[in-house]
Amino acid sequence: MKEEQEQWLEDILHSAQGKAPVSPNPALLEAIQTQLKQEPYLQLTKSNWTKNWIAAAAIVLGLLNVFAFQQILSNNYSSENTSAPSTNYESLISDYNLYE
Amino acid sequence: MHTSSKDLLAAVSHGDDVAFQQLYERFSAKVYSTALSYAQQEQEAEEITQDVFVNIFRKAHQFKGKSAVSTWIYRITVNASLNHIQSKKRRFFWQPLEQIPEPSNFHHPGISLENKENATLLYAAIKTLPDRQKTAFILSFIEDLPRQEVADIMETSLKSIEALLQRSKKNLRDQLKKWHPNRGKKKK
């Protein structure tokens, strides 16, 4: 009795195997193409614009960083130049210490 | 000339309409058949098929070629089908009981007459399975895909697919016995 129930269950579990292939309504492709023509191009264009703006902003920021870095380097260089003669001033001052 | 699915998808990513049509002709029956197993209604299966191909067109540029194109398309189909079922459940959650349609006895158009009654019971039982068991069972036993491809589609191991299939079969058997406790038993 149990064997027969098992067979019945097995028959059900395998009842969909070997089914014939099915296809959607032939008009579906046209419906999809219509939907694609109606909206996604706008979204794609919008997303490209966003990407372009992000890229442009990144380039501007990069250039600003390079410019700022160059400024810092040149400032350091010029401050080194001005600090160099300070020893000469010290010696000059010490030369005028007449009462030491 | 036979163009590979990867080449077709690459052309689709550049907006090629002819390539899109060829890809549709190659995969629409598989997508529709899988969607039909989930939705169990022809009109809803067509809606899912439409969603899938719109997504294929939109996301073609995201395909990295790490898997087969068919695996990628099946993955989109499974996700679209599960999302469709979820949104349908949410829609009906807010409706009064009398407006919720009765679960119909689904007759798959591709199933032979001799298997029709059994298959209707099978599809009704499939509806009660949890999502991952449902997917493993549909892809393996309804769509007849190789286990490795099912594992690739579900992004899991072969071992866990086997475990999911065992659990799904057990749950289906239990459900069928619950619905028809005396079926398949000899009458005294």
Side-chain angles (χ1 to χ4, degrees):
Chain A
M1 196 165 82
K2 206 172 181 183
E3 273 177 23
E4 282 179 26
Q5 194 183 35
E6 275 303 305
Q7 189 55 51
W8 173 72
L9 290 168
E10 278 300 310
D11 287 348
I12 290 177
L13 291 181
H14 296 102
S15 60
Q17 280 181 336
K19 62 180 168 41
V22 287
S23 296
N25 186 333
L28 188 64
L29 176 62
E30 211 182 309
I32 294 168
Q33 285 172 325
T34 309
Q35 189 186 341
L36 286 172
K37 275 173 192 152
Q38 275 170 355
E39 32 103 20
Y41 285 117
L42 284 174
Q43 287 180 3
L44 277 174
T45 323
K46 191 182 168 189
S47 68
N48 279 345
W49 268 102
T50 317
K51 278 178 196 165
N52 289 343
W53 274 110
I54 290 169
I59 289 167
V60 169
L61 273 175
L63 286 173
L64 280 173
N65 276 330
V66 169
F67 180 70
F69 199 65
Q70 276 177 341
Q71 286 293 315
I72 290 166
L73 280 179
S74 65
N75 281 348
N76 281 348
Y77 185 68
S78 61
S79 66
E80 273 170 23
N81 280 347
T82 51
S83 62
S86 65
T87 48
N88 296 340
Y89 285 128
E90 277 169 19
S91 60
L92 197 67
I93 291 164
S94 65
D95 285 347
Y96 283 98
N97 285 339
L98 299 174
Y99 306 105
E100 265 186 3
Chain B
M1 197 181 74
H2 179 82
T3 317
S4 77
S5 297
K6 278 190 182 175
D7 290 342
L8 284 179
L9 199 60
V12 169
S13 72
H14 294 104
D16 187 332
D17 275 349
V18 179
F20 182 72
Q21 269 183 43
Q22 284 180 305
L23 203 70
Y24 179 86
E25 278 159 20
R26 205 170 282 184
F27 290 103
S28 61
K30 288 175 183 173
V31 169
Y32 176 69
S33 180
T34 309
L36 195 56
S37 296
Y38 281 93
Q40 300 188 12
Q41 214 204 43
E42 287 170 49
Q43 200 189 335
E44 284 182 23
E46 284 187 357
E47 282 171 25
I48 295 168
T49 307
Q50 183 162 352
D51 280 355
V52 170
F53 278 94
V54 167
N55 271 326
I56 289 171
F57 189 84
R58 282 179 184 162
K59 293 179 179 173
H61 65 284
Q62 290 176 10
F63 178 72
K64 301 279 183 261
K66 287 178 187 167
S67 62
V69 173
S70 65
T71 303
W72 185 70
I73 292 178
Y74 268 116
R75 204 174 291 151
I76 295 175
T77 308
V78 168
N79 288 336
S81 303
L82 291 174
N83 286 343
H84 185 89
I85 293 169
Q86 280 303 319
S87 64
K88 198 175 161 188
K89 271 183 194 167
R90 274 198 297 270
R91 236 179 11 245
F92 287 137
F93 181 79
W94 299 104
Q95 284 189 10
L97 276 173
E98 63 270 18
Q99 281 182 26
I100 299 172
E102 283 291 303
S104 57
N105 288 335
F106 173 62
H107 298 296
H108 192 289
I111 284 171
S112 62
L113 206 63
E114 59 182 282
N115 281 333
K116 216 149 210 168
E117 193 192 341
N118 281 348
T120 301
L121 277 174
L122 176 65
Y123 280 109
I126 285 172
K127 272 189 170 178
T128 64
L129 289 176
D131 285 350
R132 283 180 69 75
Q133 288 179 30
K134 190 187 286 178
T135 299
F137 189 88
I138 286 174
L139 295 178
S140 303
F141 291 112
I142 311 278
E143 294 308 308
D144 285 333
L145 294 181
R147 299 284 190 277
Q148 186 57 59
E149 193 173 356
V150 178
D152 292 342
I153 293 164
M154 294 181 72
E155 295 178 285
T156 187
S157 66
L158 207 56
K159 223 175 176 180
S160 61
I161 292 297
E162 293 296 347
L164 279 170
L165 287 175
Q166 270 189 352
R167 268 181 278 152
S168 65
K169 276 182 163 183
K170 189 193 173 296
N171 285 338
L172 287 172
R173 283 164 179 272
D174 291 348
Q175 188 62 57
L176 288 164
K177 279 187 213 167
K178 210 158 86 182
W179 283 341
H180 301 282
N182 296 317
R183 282 289 286 271
K185 290 178 182 176
K186 260 186 183 169
K187 282 172 191 164
K188 286 178 186 173

